Amino acid sequence: MPKHPVIIQGGMGAGVSDWRLANAVSRTGQLGVVSGTALDVIFARRLQDGDPGGHMRRALDHFPFPAVADRIYSEYYIPGGRGPKDSYRLVPMHERVNPKALNELLIVSNFVEIWLAREGHNNPVGINYLEKIQLPHLASMYGSMLAGVHYVLMGAGIPLKVPGVLDSFANHKKATYQLTVAGAQEGDDCTMSFDPADYLETPLPPLRRPHFFAIIASNTLATTLVRKSNGRVDGFIIEGPTAGGHNAPPRGKLVLNEKGEAVYGERDVVDLPKIVEIGLPFWLAGGYGTPEKLNEALEDGATGIQVGTAFAYCEESGLRHDYKRMLLKKVLAGEAAVFTDPRSSPTGFPFKAVLLENTNSETETYKKRPRICDLGYLRESYRRPEDGQVGYRCSSEPVTVYISKAGAVEDTVGRKCLCNALLANIGQQQIRAGKHEELGLVTSGDDLLALNRLVSEECMSYAAAEVVEYLTSNMPSQIIPRQAEAAQHLHIVPA
Ligand SMILES: Cc1cc2nc3c(=O)[nH]c(=O)nc-3n(C[C@H](O)[C@H](O)[C@H](O)COP(=O)(O)O)c2cc1C
C-alpha cells in the first residue's frame, strides 16, 4: 500500500488554498491541496493584475506547448496591472461543449497551479474539485495531470465516473463525462467529451495516474463508490457537517434550528467501523484540526485528518489579508461566529459563512447588490423546454431571467452570488461601472474559535508549517517520518 500523508490540507475554493499554501504544506511532508475551482478565472485575473512576482509566467514557461501558453498570456496579461477602477475582463462561461480556447485556458490554469505548488520540493501535491461544478471537469483534470498532480480529491456529489477519466488521461486517451441535466429525457445528448489529441502539439509520454480520494458524508456513498466506480478509488475523506465551505445536506426532511440553520441528526453520523471494514485508507474532516482530534481519528482507524479552517487563515493562504485580520481579531475576542446557511448557495447545499462586517454575510448589505450572474460556475444545466437543448441557469441570477429558463421562483429565495463573493475573498473582486466593488463572503468550519491556539495579541499571524507542527505535536515520530525530517528546516514561531 502506498505511504499516504497523515495530514491533508483540505482544498479550499475559490483560491483560498492556492499554489502558495499547497506548496508550503507539501514542503512539510504533509499533503498540500490546491483548489481546482474557478482556476481559469483566477489565473486570467492574476494576469490582468500584472502577474505580480512573475509566477504565472514562470510556470507558463514550463507548459509543454509554448504556443498555447504564449497566446493565453498575451490575451490576458496587462503590464503593470489593471487600473484600480477598471473591471476585470470576463472569461466565457462554461458549456457542455466548450470552445477550444476556453478548454486551453482550463488546461493551462490547472497546469500552472499544480506546477507552482510542486516547485522547489519533491513531495506530493493534490487538487480538489467539486463534482457539482461539472462543466470544466475534463479539461481541468487533464491540465493538472500534465503538471504531475499526485492526488485528485472530489466532493460535493457522487464522483463515480472520475476514476475512469483519470485512467484514460494517464494515457492521453479521450474521456467522457455525463452531465447532470435537470429534466433530461431519454435520447438527449448530455455527454461531455475531451480528447487530449485535439490539444497535443507533440506526443507526450504517459502521465502519472493520480490517487483518487472521494470526499463523502455517508456509508452508503462509500460502498457505492467502491462497487460502482468505473476505476480505482484510493481512499475517502469522511467529512462531517462542521467542516468549512459547502456541507452535504442533512438526510430526511430539512429541519432548521432557532437561528435558521440546517440541523443534522443521528442519520448523518457516519459509522466508522463500517468504513474501516471497506479496507481503504480514510481521513476524517470537520472539526479535526487539533492534536487531540488527530489522535482520536487514528484510534478510530483513520490514516489521518483533513483540515481546512486552521489553514484558511494562515499567512500563505489566498484569503485577503484584511479579512484574515478582521476574523482573527474576532477569534481572539471570542466573538467569531459561523452561520450554516441552508439557502445562500445556488447548489442547494448548506454553506457556512463567517459573520463579518461589510461582507455579504450581512443580509441587508447583500440585498443592495443587483442580481448579476457573470461567472456561472454554479449554474445548473437544464433541458430547455423550447428545443430540448441543454441550457444553463443560476438561482442567484435575476429572478425574471431564472423564471424564463423554467426555474421555480421559490428556488431564488435567499440565494447569493457565491462566485463573485468567493473571488472577492481572495482580492479579485469585480469592479462595476468604475465604483461598485463586489464584497466577499468568508467561509469557515464551526470550530473557528480553536484558532485561538494559533494566534495571540502579540502575534496575529501564523504560517502553514506552524499548523502542521501544532497538529502533529502529540504524534509519535514513526507515524510521521517525513514531517519529523522536514520540521528541522521549519521556522516555527512560538505561540
Ligand atoms: C475557506 C474554506 C473553503 C473550502 N472550500 C472547499 C472546497 O472548495 N471544496 C471542498 O471539497 N472542501 C472545501 N472546504 C472544506 C475543507 O477542504 C475541509 O474538508 C474542511 O475545512 C475540514 O474541516 P475544518 O474546517 O473543520 O478543518 C473548505 C473549507 C474552508 C474553511
Side-chain angles (χ1 to χ4, degrees):
M1 182 151 330
K3 177 112 189 73
H4 293 298
V6 174
I7 293 171
I8 299 177
Q9 161 256 304
M12 295 179 279
V16 172
S17 63
D18 60 6
W19 60 271
R20 265 199 190 88
L21 175 58
N23 188 305
V25 175
S26 284
R27 275 171 191 264
T28 72
Q30 303 301 336
L31 184 64
V33 177
V34 302
S35 163
T37 302
L39 278 179
D40 49 351
V41 168
I42 292 173
F43 171 77
R45 291 191 176 188
R46 286 178 187 149
L47 290 183
Q48 291 173 69
D49 284 334
D51 187 17
H55 305 298
M56 302 302 107
R57 182 67 253 182
R58 189 168 74 253
L60 279 172
D61 287 343
H62 293 83
F63 188 69
F65 315 125
V68 176
D70 288 344
R71 187 187 58 69
I72 291 176
Y73 187 76
S74 50
E75 190 170 342
Y76 290 102
Y77 177 65
I78 300 178
R82 251 173 346 129
K85 302 276 174 206
D86 295 347
S87 302
Y88 284 110
R89 175 178 157 197
L90 290 172
V91 163
M93 291 195 219
H94 305 125
E95 302 203 339
R96 183 179 71 82
V97 181
N98 278 333
K100 190 168 184 207
L102 182 54
N103 273 343
E104 285 174 347
L105 180 62
L106 283 167
I107 298 170
V108 163
S109 55
N110 278 260
F111 173 93
V112 163
E113 204 71 5
I114 293 299
W115 191 91
L116 289 168
R118 293 189 62 199
E119 190 182 20
H121 64 89
N122 291 316
N123 292 334
V125 160
I127 193 158
N128 173 287
Y129 298 108
L130 299 173
E131 203 282 331
K132 272 228 166 202
I133 305 184
Q134 297 177 329
L135 296 167
H137 270 349
L138 293 173
S140 300
M141 283 190 266
Y142 186 64
S144 63
M145 284 176 69
L146 274 180
V149 70
H150 301 77
Y151 289 83
V152 169
L153 303 93
M154 195 180 283
I158 308 177
L160 281 174
K161 306 292 181 199
V162 172
V165 171
L166 302 178
D167 292 336
S168 299
F169 286 169
N171 294 305
H172 304 284
K173 294 233 174 73
K174 178 178 170 174
T176 59
Y177 201 88
Q178 274 315 105
L179 183 63
T180 308
V181 178
Q185 295 178 4
E186 218 179 311
D188 288 352
D189 186 4
C190 302
T191 309
M192 300 188 291
S193 71
F194 180 91
D195 189 349
D198 295 338
Y199 298 86
L200 288 172
E201 286 173 10
T202 47
L204 290 178
L207 303 172
R208 182 199 335 272
R209 195 284 198 182
H211 296 296
F212 178 66
F213 291 171
I215 305 170
I216 54 170
S218 87
N219 291 91
T220 322
L221 203 45
T223 318
T224 310
L225 279 157
V226 170
R227 291 206 186 127
K228 300 201 173 146
S229 288
N230 64 349
R232 204 181 74 228
V233 175
D234 299 284
F236 295 113
I237 313 293
I238 313 288
E239 194 178 70
T242 61
H246 282 96
N247 300 137
R251 262 145 283 254
K253 195 171 175 298
L254 180 66
V255 177
L256 302 180
N257 66 14
E258 67 287 351
K259 288 195 284 177
E261 297 175 303
V263 175
Y264 290 82
E266 276 301 305
R267 288 175 64 194
D268 300 301
V269 177
V270 176
D271 185 342
L272 292 181
K274 283 205 177 128
I275 296 284
V276 173
E277 275 172 28
I278 293 177
L280 288 178
F282 66 94
W283 287 255
L284 298 180
Y288 278 86
T290 62
E292 298 78 21
K293 291 296 280 184
L294 171 54
N295 284 343
E296 190 186 306
L298 295 174
E299 278 162 22
D300 284 339
T303 300
I305 53 176
Q306 173 168 287
V307 175
T309 300
F311 287 109
Y313 306 100
C314 75
E315 282 161 22
E316 296 93 338
S317 89
L319 191 67
R320 270 161 67 163
H321 288 295
D322 53 340
Y323 285 0
K324 275 185 205 168
R325 250 193 326 273
M326 270 159 58
L327 185 121
L328 290 173
K329 266 191 182 164
K330 281 191 187 286
V331 167
L332 280 176
E335 289 166 1
V338 178
F339 178 64
T340 307
D341 193 333
R343 295 293 316 166
S344 62
S345 173
T347 61
F349 285 16
F351 183 76
K352 283 197 201 308
V354 184
L355 303 175
L356 276 187
E357 293 76 28
N358 203 27
T359 68
N360 284 327
S361 63
E362 298 174 317
T363 309
E364 289 312 308
T365 305
Y366 187 75
K367 275 188 190 156
K368 291 183 199 139
R369 177 189 184 274
R371 281 178 168 251
I372 297 167
C373 175
D374 57 4
L375 295 170
Y377 289 93
L378 299 180
R379 293 189 307 168
E380 174 188 47
S381 304
Y382 74 104
R383 181 181 206 274
R384 291 200 305 227
E386 62 274 23
D387 58 5
Q389 296 297 304
V390 179
Y392 309 92
R393 64 188 176 200
C394 177
S395 50
S396 76
E397 72 187 332
V399 177
T400 46
V401 177
Y402 186 68
I403 292 171
S404 74
K405 296 177 182 172
V409 68
E410 55 274 21
D411 288 346
T412 64
V413 178
R415 295 287 191 243
K416 292 182 175 173
C417 175
L418 294 195
C419 293
N420 272 289
L422 295 189
L423 288 180
N425 285 347
I426 58 167
Q428 292 193 340
Q429 57 275 24
Q430 183 59 292
I431 297 181
R432 303 189 189 282
K435 48 182 185 242
H436 301 297
E437 260 194 32
E438 288 280 0
L439 299 177
L441 182 62
V442 179
T443 180
S444 158
D446 282 335
D447 71 342
L448 194 54
L449 286 177
L451 293 183
N452 64 11
R453 291 164 80 172
L454 289 159
V455 282
S456 62
E457 294 288 354
E458 297 74 41
C459 186
M460 280 288 286
S461 71
Y462 58 94
E466 288 175 72
V467 179
V468 172
E469 180 76 350
Y470 161 68
L471 293 174
T472 53
S473 52
N474 290 346
M475 295 276 306
S477 62
Q478 70 272 22
I479 300 185
I480 46 166
R482 279 187 294 169
Q483 155 62 20
E485 193 187 302
Q488 297 168 9
H489 310 291
L490 300 181
H491 166 66
I492 306 291
V493 183

